[in-house]
C-alpha cells in the first residue's frame, strides 16, 4: 500500500494547511494547563513547538504529548465549527472513502474477526466507539456476521449510520449509560481515536466501567516510536492539530494495565512508514534515513517496512486487552 492511495497529496496538503490556520484561530489565545505523561505520570520534557502547541516527551516511557493543553471545550468547538475539521469530514472523506474502505477498513474488519475467533470470542457483541460513518461496522457485519453497535456523538455521522440500518448510540462514550449497550459479552473497538483524546484516563475509566470479566477492548492508534514519526519528528504530518497523544508499545501497556486490564497483544502492523519517509525525504532530520531512502531499491524498502513493523516500530499500533476474571456463566 502507498500513502498516496489513502491520503492523496493535494487533498491532504490542503487539510494540513487549514489545520495550521485553525490552530491559531481556535487556540491562539486560549488558557492552557500543564499535564504529566498520560501513560505513566512522569513530568514531560519539552520536545518541540508546532503550530503554537508545545509537545513534551516523557523521559520514562517516551510518550509524546501536547502539554500544556487547552481545555476540552476548545476542542469541542474546534471539531464542531472549524474549516479543517469540516474539510476532513467532507472533501477529504469523499475523495478517499472508497480507497479507505478497501485498503483500511476491510483489512481492519478481518483483523478484528481473526483476533475474536482466536480467543473464542466470535460471539462477543462488537461496539465501535467513535464509529464515524459506520464503514467498519458495515465491513465487519459483512465478513463476520453479527450486529455491531456504533457509539458516535456527531449528529450527522450518527444519522448516516442509522440510514445504513446500524444500531447507534449517539453520545460520547463518557456519557453512555450501560443500559443502552447490548447485554452479554462485549468487544469494544476504537480506531485512530486514542491520539485525539483530550483525557485518555477519563476515557479508559469510563470504558472500564462498562467492561465485565472476559470483555475485550481492541484499538488502533499512532505510536510515537514509529520510525516515520521518530525520523521526521516535528516535521511529521502525523504531528498536527488533532493529535494530542502519541503512546508507544511500552507506554500503552503501562496505561491500560493501570486500569486493571490485561494486555493480550500489542503489535505494529503498519505498512506505510517507509513510504511516508520516501514522500517526505527532504524533511527527514536523521541522516541515515535520508541517505538510505536516496539509495534503497523498492525491494529493500519493502523488506525494511516488514522489519520495522515486525519489531514494533511502525507508527500504526494495534492493542488488544481484556478485562480479567472468569466469565460469568
Ligand atoms: Zn511516561
Amino acid at each position: 500500500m502507498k500513502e498516496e492511495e489513502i491520503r492523496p497529496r493535494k487533498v491532504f496538503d490542503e487539510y494540513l494547511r487549514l489545520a495550521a490556520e485553525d490552530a491559531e484561530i481556535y487556540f491562539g489565545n486560549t488558557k492552557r494547563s500543564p499535564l504529566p505523561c498520560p501513560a505513566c505520570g512522569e513530568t514531560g520534557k519539552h520536545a518541540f513547538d508546532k503550530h503554537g502547541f508545545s509537545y513534551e516527551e516523557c523521559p520514562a516511557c517516551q510518550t509524546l504529548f501536547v502539554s500544556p493543553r487547552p481545555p476540552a471545550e476548545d476542542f469541542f468547538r474546534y471539531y464542531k465549527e472549524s474549516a479543517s475539521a469540516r474539510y476532513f469530514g467532507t472533501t477529504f472523506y469523499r475523495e478517499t472513502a472508497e480507497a479507505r474502505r478497501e485498503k483500511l477498513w476491510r483489512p481492519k474488519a478481518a483483523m478484528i474477526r481473526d483476533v475474536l475467533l482466536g480467543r473464542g470470542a466470535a460471539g462477543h457483541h462488537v461496539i465501535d466507539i467513535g464509529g464515524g460513518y459506520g464503514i467498519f461496522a458495515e465491513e465487519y457485519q459483512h465478513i463476520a456476521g453479527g450486529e455491531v453497535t456504533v457509539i458516535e456523538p456527531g449528529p450527522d455521522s450518527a444519522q448516516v449510520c442509522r440510514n445504513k440500518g446500524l444500531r447507534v448510540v449517539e453520545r460520547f462514550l463518557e456519557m453512555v449509560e450501560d443500559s443502552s449497550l447490548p447485554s452479554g459479552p462485549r468487544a469494544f473497538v476504537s480506531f485512530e481515536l486514542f491520539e485525539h483524546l483530550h483525557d485518555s484516563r477519563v476515557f479508559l475509566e469510563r470504558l472500564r466501567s462498562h467492561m465485565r470479566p472476559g470483555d475485550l477492548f481492541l484499538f488502533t492508534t499512532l505510536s510515537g516510536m514509529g520510525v516515520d514519526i521518530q525520523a521526521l519528528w516535528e516535521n511529521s504530518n502525523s504531528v498536527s492539530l488533532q493529535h494530542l497523544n502519541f503512546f508507544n508499545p511500552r507506554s500503552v501497556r503501562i496505561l491500560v494495565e493501570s486500569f486493571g486490564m490485561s494486555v493480550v497483544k500489542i503489535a505494529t502492523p503498519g505498512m506505510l512508514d517507509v513510504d511516508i519517509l520516501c514522500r517526505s525525504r527532504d524533511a527527514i532530520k536523521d541522516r541515515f534515513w535520508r541517505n538510505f531512502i536516496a539509495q534503497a531499491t523498492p525491494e529493500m524498502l519493502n523488506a525494511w517496512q516488514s522489519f520495522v513493523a515486525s519489531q514494533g516500530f511502525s507508527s500504526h499500533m494495534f492493542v488488544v486487552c481484556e478485562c480479567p476474571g472468569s466469565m460469568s456463566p
Side-chain angles (χ1 to χ4, degrees), residues 1-188:
M1 183 176 26
K2 297 274 186 212
E3 191 187 22
E4 182 67 24
E5 295 173 308
I6 54 159
R7 292 182 205 123
R9 189 188 285 266
K10 222 178 97 210
V11 188
F12 194 43
D13 283 353
E14 175 61 5
Y15 163 70
L16 293 171
R17 188 187 69 76
L18 291 170
E21 282 182 9
D22 284 339
E24 177 56 36
I25 296 170
Y26 288 87
F27 304 98
N29 298 310
T30 195
K31 213 165 168 258
R32 300 166 190 230
S33 320
L35 75 159
C37 170
C40 77
E42 269 292 325
T43 302
K45 284 178 99 166
H46 182 258
F48 54 81
D49 290 322
K50 186 171 181 182
H51 299 154
F53 282 72
S54 156
Y55 291 78
E56 294 189 351
E57 188 184 21
C58 173
C61 75
Q62 288 74 49
T63 295
L64 178 68
F65 57 101
V66 170
S67 176
R69 196 169 281 198
E73 304 80 66
D74 288 15
F75 285 96
F76 288 137
R77 195 165 73 90
Y78 160 75
Y79 278 110
K80 226 173 122 191
E81 299 173 7
S82 74
S84 58
R86 204 174 321 124
Y87 186 83
F88 196 84
T90 56
T91 308
F92 183 87
Y93 174 78
R94 201 173 47 238
E95 302 267 326
T96 60
E98 278 320 300
R100 293 167 87 84
R101 176 189 290 277
E102 189 193 319
K103 304 273 178 190
L104 300 181
W105 292 112
R106 205 161 287 162
K108 273 196 177 93
M111 180 171 85
I112 300 298
R113 176 199 58 191
D114 293 347
V115 171
L116 295 187
L117 275 174
R119 297 199 62 77
H124 280 38
H125 192 108
V126 174
I127 301 171
D128 186 3
I129 307 166
Y133 293 92
I135 301 181
F136 167 79
E138 284 182 293
E139 291 298 318
Y140 186 83
Q141 290 183 174
H142 184 66
I143 64 160
E147 199 188 4
V148 176
T149 295
V150 175
I151 297 179
E152 171 52 50
D156 297 344
S157 313
Q159 190 53 45
V160 170
C161 290
R162 275 192 290 268
N163 293 345
K164 289 175 174 176
L166 296 167
R167 193 173 181 281
V168 185
V169 179
E170 191 180 321
R171 289 276 171 94
F172 282 99
L173 174 76
E174 289 81 343
M175 295 159 198
V176 168
E177 313 249 345
D178 199 68
S179 57
S180 58
L181 298 176
S183 53
R186 299 162 176 176
F188 294 88

